[in-house]
Amino acid sequence: MTTTYLELQVLSTGQTSRLAEMFRLLGEPNRLSLVYACLEEPRSVQTLAADIDISMSLASHHLRLLRAARLLRAERRGKQVFYVAADAHVQRVLRDMAEHGDEA
């Protein structure tokens, strides 16, 4: 069965709430930077914190929220935890929004 454009125009209350929460989380600049930094490859907490110039504890706090929202997933490698975009949907949405924002 194929979903048509008209069927996608109305979201359920639950879908609307989940989507709004994801966008709320991404509305905080540090969180958006963290997710965007993880689009291509897994990145360690230490690297992410240094790259966006925040403390490791603040980075860990944000990463925990982003992981709980299923925007990022964690991969343990020895004693370090690496984060990467949860899936291709997250990658596409952020890349498309960045491209949209760059349009004049």
Side-chain angles (χ1 to χ4, degrees):
M1 184 165 132
T2 306
T3 303
T4 66
Y5 175 73
L6 291 176
E7 291 173 310
L8 294 176
Q9 287 186 13
V10 178
L11 297 174
S12 72
T13 302
Q15 289 172 311
T16 302
S17 295
R18 285 189 301 275
L19 190 58
E21 177 61 13
M22 284 185 210
F23 281 115
R24 184 191 69 77
L25 286 169
L26 293 172
E28 201 283 326
N30 288 325
R31 289 187 201 131
L32 181 58
S33 294
L34 287 167
V35 175
Y36 205 82
C38 295
L39 291 183
E40 299 300 323
E41 62 187 9
R43 311 274 308 270
S44 71
V45 177
Q46 294 85 351
T47 301
L48 289 165
D51 285 353
I52 68 168
D53 197 29
I54 61 174
S55 70
M56 288 217 0
S57 64
L58 182 57
S60 292
H61 170 73
H62 287 314
L63 291 164
R64 180 181 56 80
L65 295 173
L66 294 165
R67 192 173 121 204
R70 298 180 12 233
L71 293 167
L72 293 178
R73 61 183 166 82
E75 301 173 355
R76 183 168 291 283
R77 296 181 190 169
K79 292 184 179 186
Q80 287 192 314
V81 177
F82 288 75
Y83 288 85
V84 66
D87 57 32
H89 299 115
V90 174
Q91 292 171 327
R92 278 193 307 267
V93 166
L94 287 181
R95 285 187 187 125
D96 287 350
M97 291 303 292
E99 187 177 318
H100 178 72
D102 289 341
E103 293 175 354

